[in-house]
Amino acid sequence: MVGSEDTKTNAQTAPKPRGRPRSFDRETALEKAVMAFWEHGYEATSVSDLTRVMGIGAPSLYAAFGDKRALFDEVVTVYGARYGSFADRALAEEPTARAAVERMLREAAAEYTAPGRPHGCLVIHAATNCTSPEVEASLRERRNANIAAFESRMKADIASGELPPGTDAAALARHTGAIIQGMSQQARDGASREELEALAEIAMSIWPRT
């Protein structure tokens, strides 16, 4: 075949790409990994699943992201910044804990049912049926950190008189966490945005008032 020897020689002498092809787009591949882990969870998403949806080979995946666990850690960070930051924003921007939680639940109803992507929350669901204690612990710490942030904000409102002095901030924070986690599961089970908004409205109706 004409040119075959030249092709072979060029292939041998040309510098090899460092673990990924020229067309590799790291951010695009990472976003596809977010969707895969979000939809199927950590355990059920294999390396072969990841290379297929990301459109790269295993050597490219390992070179760019490390192993599956390292990729998942990066995915969780990206998810938190891109899709899960509405709770932090509500706590930071609203003047009271009540206003923050009301906004948080309303936005959760929208975020957890948004079309074109998996429903619910990755941090809540990704460790389902997981056999990796480290992954379970990492996601549990994130969920508990959210509840601690709720409690801190509620305690501040008790101190300022915005909430009644007898309010159990810890219980109210866990109630908020349970509502959000329940909304996430119901979204995965097919609940609509409107149904979740109705749930949020009921949850806010029991909010302590001065």
Side-chain angles (χ1 to χ4, degrees):
M1 179 175 169
V2 177
S4 61
E5 285 300 320
D6 290 340
T7 302
K8 183 176 180 182
T9 301
N10 290 338
Q12 290 173 338
T13 58
K16 293 183 179 180
R18 300 181 64 182
R20 58 188 186 231
R22 291 189 189 119
S23 61
F24 177 83
D25 185 319
R26 192 181 191 282
E27 288 305 309
T28 298
L30 182 57
E31 177 68 10
K32 291 178 179 178
V34 171
M35 295 298 149
F37 281 122
W38 192 354
E39 178 69 28
H40 303 291
Y42 179 81
E43 192 71 25
T45 305
S46 66
V47 171
S48 61
D49 292 331
L50 291 166
T51 57
R52 177 175 50 80
V53 301
M54 295 167 77
I56 60 177
S60 296
L61 185 152
Y62 292 126
F65 301 102
D67 59 13
K68 175 182 169 181
R69 171 64 197 283
L71 172 59
F72 181 72
D73 288 343
E74 187 169 352
V75 158
V76 171
T77 299
V78 170
Y79 171 85
R82 195 168 295 167
Y83 302 105
S85 60
F86 63 90
D88 289 339
R89 288 197 305 271
L91 287 173
E93 295 172 4
E94 294 301 323
T96 66
R98 187 185 195 285
V101 170
E102 187 171 19
R103 170 179 163 181
M104 195 187 309
L105 297 184
R106 184 177 66 251
E107 293 186 1
E111 291 291 334
Y112 292 168
T113 60
R117 66 192 197 210
H119 286 176
C121 172
L122 181 151
V123 174
I124 293 171
H125 298 291
T128 302
N129 298 322
C130 182
T131 59
S132 171
E134 296 83 6
V135 170
E136 286 185 323
S138 174
L139 295 181
R140 187 185 310 116
E141 286 171 7
R142 285 178 175 269
R143 294 192 297 270
N144 286 337
N146 288 337
I147 292 173
F150 302 159
E151 182 177 352
S152 177
R153 187 62 189 278
M154 291 161 186
K155 284 181 175 178
D157 275 16
I158 294 170
S160 69
E162 185 66 37
L163 283 170
T167 300
D168 187 337
L172 188 58
R174 288 210 169 271
H175 173 265
T176 301
I179 293 298
I180 289 177
Q181 290 169 19
M183 289 173 71
S184 178
Q185 181 59 57
Q186 290 196 21
R188 289 183 77 89
D189 289 343
S192 68
R193 175 177 177 174
E194 291 74 20
E195 288 171 329
L196 295 183
E197 286 174 340
L199 187 157
E201 187 175 342
I202 292 172
M204 294 309 301
S205 70
I206 68 166
W207 192 268
R209 294 183 181 274
T210 53

